[in-house]
Amino acid sequence: MNIILIGAPGAGKGTQAKILEQKYGMVQLSTGDMLRAAVKAGTPLGLEAKSIMEAGKLVPDALMVNLIKERIAQADCAKGFILDGFPRTVAQAEALDNMLAEQGKSLDKVIELKVDEAALIERVSGRFTCAKCGEGYHDKFKPTQKAGLCDKCGGTELSRRKDDNAETMKTRLKAFNEQTAPILPYYRQKGLLVSIDGMANMSVVTKAIEEIMCASS
Ligand code: AP5
């Protein structure tokens, strides 16, 4: 099954994609994670994306389309994928349709996680991640069991993203409302869009996604 999780910054896309990956063996394709890896490695893409991401703006479509096109063609994606953070513009959505058609693949569902703006800001401000294994946490909603130690791998380097601050969040939300939200009618018209309440707790959101996946399999 191939799905897209769509939602504003902090809506819970990454959290849910990781749960689905672990439970069902689908591949999480997070363009944000791919870009952060490129920035860390200092690749040409990373060098171009770094300041754009720190400002909370969108990286140019052509770069993103090439990145995802190469990744989606890899063998592991044949068992199903979850797109998390892509597409983010109508141009990216159209390019995705073309690349999937070329590869004989299609989308099963596009799932929108709807979360209030105040909750998005609270979620993003409290988020941190284990630098060693990538496990995500939240000061209030998902703290580590032992302070300063990752529950999953015992890593001690728990880091916060540079773009997770109130000022950059304003630009990220603007980018979502102006450039990403227009994708919703695009997928509604194709009969692929389902919207769910992303305000619910994490396990309730997972259950809602599983019900949608079950109904379309
Ligand atoms: P990206 O990494 O994709 O960031 P984003 O879309 O802003 O989304 P986030 O990762 O912030 O949020 P999320 O929805 O995954 O929430 P999470 O599950 O972590 O992109 C970063 C940047 O890269 C962009 O700004 C842009 O510059 C660039 N970029 C990436 N893709 C691009 C593209 N296609 N085109 C152009 N540019 C691109 O949850 C957040 C927190 O809330 C966590 O701490 C979590 O524990 C907690 N939480 C999750 N669910 C719940 C819940 N149900 N209840 C309570 N807490 C919850």
Side-chain angles (χ1 to χ4, degrees):
M1 174 157 297
N2 301 325
I3 64 171
I4 295 176
L5 294 181
I6 188 165
K13 306 178 295 291
T15 300
Q16 295 300 329
K18 284 195 171 64
I19 294 170
L20 298 175
E21 185 175 57
Q22 276 164 17
K23 278 182 98 166
Y24 301 104
M26 298 159 81
V27 179
Q28 177 195 12
L29 300 175
S30 160
T31 41
D33 286 349
M34 291 177 204
L35 287 171
R36 280 183 287 280
V39 170
K40 202 170 171 190
T43 66
L45 170 66
L47 293 175
E48 191 160 351
K50 188 172 186 286
S51 59
I52 302 174
M53 293 172 78
E54 284 175 8
K57 295 185 176 161
L58 295 188
V59 173
D61 287 337
L63 294 177
M64 299 314 302
V65 169
N66 280 339
L67 183 69
I68 213 74
K69 192 172 185 176
E70 281 178 17
R71 183 63 189 88
I72 232 167
Q74 288 172 18
D76 59 344
C77 288
K79 56 190 176 186
F81 56 78
I82 310 147
L83 280 163
D84 154 15
F86 184 95
R88 254 179 157 94
T89 61
V90 171
Q92 290 182 17
E94 289 168 349
L96 177 65
D97 280 346
N98 291 335
M99 73 178 83
L100 290 177
E102 279 168 19
Q103 296 179 25
K105 294 176 179 155
S106 60
L107 289 170
D108 294 288
K109 278 287 168 227
V110 177
I111 303 174
E112 181 198 11
L113 306 180
K114 286 173 86 93
V115 177
D116 295 352
E117 201 163 304
L120 294 170
I121 293 166
E122 187 182 24
R123 286 186 188 182
V124 159
S125 337
R127 169 169 53 190
F128 59 97
T129 309
C130 172
K132 196 170 158 199
C133 72
E135 186 70 2
Y137 295 97
H138 190 279
D139 293 325
K140 180 171 160 191
F141 303 119
K142 194 186 164 194
T144 54
Q145 283 164 14
K146 287 187 190 159
L149 271 192
C150 173
D151 297 347
K152 202 172 162 193
C153 75
T156 52
E157 201 190 322
L158 302 173
S159 61
R160 292 182 193 258
R161 276 168 46 179
K162 272 198 174 161
D163 58 347
D164 278 350
N165 60 73
E167 199 49 40
T168 310
M169 191 58 179
K170 279 187 209 158
T171 314
R172 290 165 66 193
L173 285 170
K174 190 166 182 280
F176 177 79
N177 292 327
E178 292 177 2
Q179 293 171 271
T180 306
I183 294 177
L184 298 171
Y186 178 84
Y187 285 122
R188 190 175 294 118
Q189 212 171 25
K190 291 175 179 285
L192 290 172
L193 183 72
V194 186
S195 299
I196 61 170
D197 178 17
M199 294 289 290
N201 73 42
M202 291 177 206
S203 56
V204 173
V205 176
T206 306
K207 199 157 176 282
I209 296 173
E210 288 176 328
E211 279 167 8
I212 293 163
M213 286 168 54
C214 202
S216 60
S217 66

